[in-house]
């Protein structure tokens, strides 16, 4: 803006020619004024905010002095430019609305110069006071307008920043939900073989029962009793319910949720995770659950906490399967310690190597092959636990094996704190 203003100031010499005829003095004043504007514009972006303010003050002072010189050259208080003294502070307010101090300096210079010219011309004191009052009033109005402009500009900037922050938080929340959903699907993908095997057993059993019923019902000699038929129907129905339960567990686990934390029973959450985890651990290790029913509820999102437990159980199963040792065990132990509920997921596998333990919760860090590990499971699990006000730490058991310890504040305490 200042670079455009510089030639505009110089071009105003045409008005000087019309007002008082050609003259070298007016041209020199215009050239000095334009040059000061150009130099200030070129150097203003190279300095800090305080230096920019200094440049603004210098520019307002130079502009005021150059205009006062033009007034003197054009005939002092009898010249055509004298009537424009009150306009200069307003013009500077438009050009530099961010700095009221510089405009105030300009108003003071113009007011003092106008009063001085009138006094030297022998005008009455009332005229001096009139012109001084007009210029001071205009300067104050301009400074107030600039101040209000700054307030509006600051409010608009804060509003834009708040909108940007809110949009960023919403995008981050959506990204976190998608990442958690992706990890869920990755876990289910790792369980695919176990799920197919688990569903295949009751399906094969149902098929055998249907073959038996077909033979007995359609045969000419019906030697089967009603009690035997009722037993076959009950067994078939039990197989169908088993398939339905497996599919329902997977559907509920894989569903993308955006729930708020609520008080949930630890035993129920563990039961949700264990039903799916048994599909992976059935042929790998023995799973023991020690969760007292009297454990107080914790404040958490039930499906997210179940996802954390399932991730830990699947990781334990992978570690035990890689070891290939019989007698493998995985335990989930729950205890109430003071004002916190503690869950421990333990196994008797090889444990964590010393060089792995410090990096265990880093994103994309994994010791598994690309077909099994994404490096997101433990990092995401810790994030989900911390979102519920809990902690997740990993350690090696003294008797051998790995232990992951989850701690949550008791639901009523966490709810009161939140």
């Amino acid at each position: 803006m200042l670079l455009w203003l510089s030639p505009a100031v110089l071009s105003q010499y045409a008005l000087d020619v019309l007002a008082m005829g050609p003259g070298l003095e007016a041209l020199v004043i215009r050239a000095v004024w334009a040059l000061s504007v150009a130099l200030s514009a070129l150097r203003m972006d190279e300095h800090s905010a305080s230096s920019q303010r200094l440049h603004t003050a210098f520019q307002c002072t130079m502009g005021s002095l150059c205009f006062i010189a033009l007034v003197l050259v054009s005939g002092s208080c009898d010249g055509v430019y004298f009537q424009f003294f009150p306009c200069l502070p307003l013009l500077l307010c438009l050009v530099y609305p961010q700095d009221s101090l510089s405009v105030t300096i300009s108003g003071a210079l113009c007011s003092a110069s106008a009063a001085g010219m009138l006094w030297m011309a022998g005008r009455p004191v009332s005229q001096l006071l009139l012109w001084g009052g007009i210029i001071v009033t205009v300067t104050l109005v301009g400074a107030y307008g600039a101040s209000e402009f700054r307030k509006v500009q600051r409010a608009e900037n804060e509003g834009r920043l708040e909108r940007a922050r809110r949009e960023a938080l919403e995008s981050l929340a959506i990204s976190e939900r998608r990442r958690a959903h992706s990890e869920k699907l990755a876990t289910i993908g790792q369980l695919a073989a176990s799920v197919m095997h688990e569903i295949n057993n009751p399906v094969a059993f149902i098929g055998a029962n249907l073959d038996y019923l077909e033979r007995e019902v359609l045969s000419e000699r019906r030697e089967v009793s009603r009690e035997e038929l009722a037993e076959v129907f009950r067994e078939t129905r039990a197989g169908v319910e088993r398939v339905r339960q497996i599919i329902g567990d997977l559907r509920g686990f894989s569903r993308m949720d955006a729930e708020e934390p609520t008080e949930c029973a630890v035993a129920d959450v563990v039961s949700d995770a264990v039903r799916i985890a048994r599909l992976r651990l059935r042929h790998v290790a023995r799973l023991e659950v020690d969760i007292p029913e009297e454990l107080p509820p914790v404040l958490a999102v039930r499906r997210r906490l179940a996802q954390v437990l399932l991730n830990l159980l699947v990781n334990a199963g992978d570690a035990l399967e890689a070891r290939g040792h019989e007698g493998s065990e995985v335990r989930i132990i729950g205890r109430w310690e003071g004002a916190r509920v503690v869950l421990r997921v333990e196994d008797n596998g090889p444990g964590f190597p010393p060089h792995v333990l410090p990096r265990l919760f880093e994103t994309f860090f994994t010791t598994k092959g690309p077909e099994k590990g994404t490096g997101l499971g433990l990092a995401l699990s810790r994030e989900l636990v911390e979102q519920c006000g809990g902690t997740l730490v990993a350690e090696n058991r003294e008797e051998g094996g790995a232990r992951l310890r989850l701690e949550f504040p008791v639901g009523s305490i966490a709810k009161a704190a939140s």
Side-chain angles (χ1 to χ4, degrees):
M1 181 188 65
L2 292 179
L3 287 176
W4 283 102
L5 183 61
S6 177
V9 170
L10 186 59
S11 66
Q12 296 300 305
Y13 175 69
L15 297 179
D16 301 337
V17 173
L18 294 175
M20 51 186 170
L24 183 60
E25 294 177 342
L27 180 61
V28 171
I29 293 171
R30 290 287 183 181
V32 172
W33 193 351
L35 183 61
S36 67
V37 172
L39 291 177
S40 181
L42 293 174
R43 300 191 60 187
M44 187 170 287
D45 291 338
E46 302 177 2
H47 299 278
S48 62
S50 58
S51 297
Q52 290 181 3
R53 191 170 186 183
L54 182 62
H55 276 283
T56 301
F58 167 77
Q59 185 55 50
C60 289
T61 304
M62 284 296 299
S64 300
L65 294 177
C66 289
F67 182 76
I68 292 170
L70 279 176
V71 174
L72 290 172
V73 169
S74 65
S76 188
C77 59
D78 295 323
V80 67
Y81 286 143
F82 184 84
Q83 311 297 327
F84 292 96
F85 257 128
C87 299
L88 184 61
L90 284 179
L91 179 63
L92 293 177
C93 283
L94 293 176
V95 178
Y96 305 103
Q98 295 82 8
D99 195 345
S100 298
L101 178 61
S102 301
V103 175
T104 304
I105 294 174
S106 174
L109 287 174
C110 291
S111 178
S113 299
M117 292 179 190
L118 291 170
W119 179 75
M120 292 182 66
R123 302 295 172 86
V125 176
S126 59
Q127 199 170 1
L128 273 67
L129 296 175
L130 175 63
W131 275 98
I134 291 174
I135 297 174
V136 169
T137 302
V138 171
T139 302
L140 293 177
V141 171
Y144 175 76
S147 175
E148 292 300 309
F149 171 80
R150 288 195 301 274
K151 290 180 181 178
V152 172
Q153 191 177 47
R154 188 159 50 245
E156 290 178 351
N157 291 336
E158 291 176 355
R160 283 194 293 267
L161 289 175
E162 180 62 25
R163 285 195 298 272
R165 187 184 69 85
R166 187 166 57 249
E167 291 172 359
L169 289 176
E170 291 174 356
S171 299
L172 179 61
I174 293 173
S175 176
E176 287 296 321
R177 289 200 298 271
R178 287 177 177 171
R179 188 159 66 99
H181 186 59
S182 299
E183 183 60 24
K184 284 183 180 182
L185 297 180
T187 303
I188 292 176
Q190 295 177 29
L191 296 172
S194 300
V195 170
M196 287 187 292
H197 178 75
E198 191 67 20
I199 292 179
N200 187 57
N201 287 340
V203 168
F205 180 71
I206 292 169
N209 281 359
L210 291 176
D211 292 339
Y212 171 77
L213 290 173
E214 183 180 16
R215 287 195 307 270
E216 294 298 332
V217 172
L218 298 181
S219 65
E220 297 180 358
R221 298 175 57 190
R222 298 183 181 179
E223 299 177 354
V224 63
S225 65
R226 294 179 63 86
E227 289 77 10
E228 291 178 347
L229 287 176
E231 180 65 24
V232 172
F233 278 120
R234 282 194 297 271
E235 292 176 351
T236 302
R237 186 176 293 107
V240 172
E241 288 299 323
R242 176 59 181 159
V243 173
R244 183 181 300 167
Q245 182 185 26
I246 294 173
I247 294 175
D249 290 340
L250 292 175
R251 181 186 300 165
F253 176 75
S254 62
R255 187 168 60 187
M256 199 171 177
D257 60 77
E259 299 176 6
E260 292 295 327
T262 57
E263 289 190 355
C264 51
V266 176
D268 295 339
V269 178
V270 173
S271 177
D272 293 343
V274 165
R275 280 203 306 270
I276 303 177
R278 286 191 191 278
L279 304 176
R280 174 71 179 91
L281 299 176
R282 184 182 299 276
H283 305 290
V284 176
R286 183 162 57 91
L287 178 59
E288 295 183 1
V289 180
D290 181 11
I291 305 293
E293 291 293 337
E294 63 272 13
L295 277 182
V298 298
L299 191 67
V301 178
R302 178 167 174 167
R303 279 199 294 272
R304 292 184 181 179
L305 184 52
Q307 177 184 354
V308 171
L309 293 174
L310 179 61
N311 286 341
L312 303 184
L313 291 171
V314 169
N315 285 344
D318 292 340
L320 293 171
E321 185 179 39
R323 187 186 67 162
H325 186 273
E326 293 192 7
S328 298
E329 293 182 351
V330 178
R331 301 185 187 90
I332 302 182
I333 303 170
R335 292 293 183 266
W336 186 4
E337 299 180 3
R340 300 182 74 81
V341 174
V342 179
L343 290 175
R344 300 197 303 270
V345 179
E346 304 177 348
D347 64 67
N348 60 349
F352 301 114
H355 68 281
V356 169
L357 198 55
R359 303 187 59 193
L360 201 59
F361 295 100
E362 291 182 9
T363 305
F364 301 118
F365 175 77
T366 179
T367 58
K368 303 177 184 178
E371 71 283 354
K372 281 192 173 183
T374 63
L376 289 173
L378 287 177
L380 182 60
S381 296
R382 171 175 275 187
E383 289 181 18
L384 295 177
V385 170
E386 290 177 348
Q387 288 173 6
C388 300
T391 59
L392 173 60
V393 295
E395 58 188 8
N396 287 317
R397 302 168 63 208
E398 294 180 359
E399 57 271 30
R403 174 188 293 127
L404 287 122
R405 180 184 177 95
L406 299 92
E407 292 189 12
F408 296 91
V410 174
S412 57
I413 298 176
K415 192 172 183 180
S418 63

